[in-house]
Amino acid sequence: MTQQFQVTGSSNARRNMRGDLAARQRIMLSESIYIEVLTCKRFGGNLVTTARVWTIEADGHASTMMCQDWSQQLISNRVRCTVKAVEQQQAEGLAMAQDLALGVYNQYVSSGAIQIPVEQSLASQVANGGGDAWVAAARSGQIMRIM
């Protein structure tokens, strides 16, 4: 799959405030919504990779709504938590999350959380060969206005 969304962050394992190894990266779905892919050891002893949607608020802080925003456990392995194991599992989990990112993006667009500019929406419909009135107007070059 070709990468459609920008990935930020490093897959390098770092120690968190408790001294545990963790790796975290973001897949930016829009300027204000991203998927965070996190690999860390859980209390049960498994090395777990999860993906969760976060929203950047107006004040710059990020938040997620448990049981409302999309989240998924991607990988869970009972392995020793070493730098190599964390970085390898993070790379695998990031690839899995990138495969899921387009579906998550479409879910948040349909719910209205991500706003698409009208021109971009029309361009994708024209590229897909849609035949409705919006596409016909876009092909003819008419200026459209949304009321």
Side-chain angles (χ1 to χ4, degrees):
M1 176 184 165
T2 59
Q3 183 176 342
Q4 297 180 356
F5 302 102
Q6 177 186 5
V7 176
T8 62
S10 172
S11 63
N12 295 337
R14 297 187 179 168
R15 298 231 176 243
N16 62 16
M17 64 185 193
R18 290 173 296 198
D20 299 329
L21 287 171
R24 126 185 12 234
Q25 290 176 286
R26 293 178 178 181
I27 301 172
M28 301 302 294
L29 300 179
S30 71
E31 291 178 3
S32 62
I33 296 180
Y34 63 89
I35 297 173
E36 180 182 70
V37 181
L38 172 67
T39 301
C40 63
K41 190 159 189 166
R42 294 287 167 89
F43 293 113
N46 286 355
L47 185 63
V48 177
T49 302
T50 57
R52 179 179 309 276
V53 169
W54 289 78
T55 303
I56 300 172
E57 305 296 335
D59 61 1
H61 291 90
S63 66
T64 186
M65 301 284 285
M66 294 291 184
C67 301
Q68 291 181 11
D69 281 328
W70 179 87
S71 67
Q72 186 170 346
Q73 180 175 311
L74 302 173
I75 305 170
S76 179
N77 289 321
R78 188 118 176 115
V79 296
R80 187 166 169 246
C81 187
T82 63
V83 171
K84 182 179 177 183
V86 170
E87 291 175 354
Q88 181 180 5
Q89 188 164 315
Q90 176 69 11
E92 293 171 12
L94 183 65
M96 292 171 70
Q98 286 175 325
D99 289 342
L100 299 171
L102 184 59
V104 175
Y105 175 79
N106 289 335
Q107 175 185 339
Y108 278 78
V109 166
S110 66
S111 72
I114 297 177
Q115 302 294 323
I116 301 178
V118 174
E119 301 80 24
Q120 181 182 351
S121 177
L122 290 174
S124 68
Q125 289 180 13
V126 169
N128 292 337
D132 62 11
W134 287 88
V135 175
R139 285 188 178 145
S140 68
Q142 295 176 359
I143 299 174
M144 292 173 288
R145 192 171 160 175
I146 297 178
M147 300 284 177

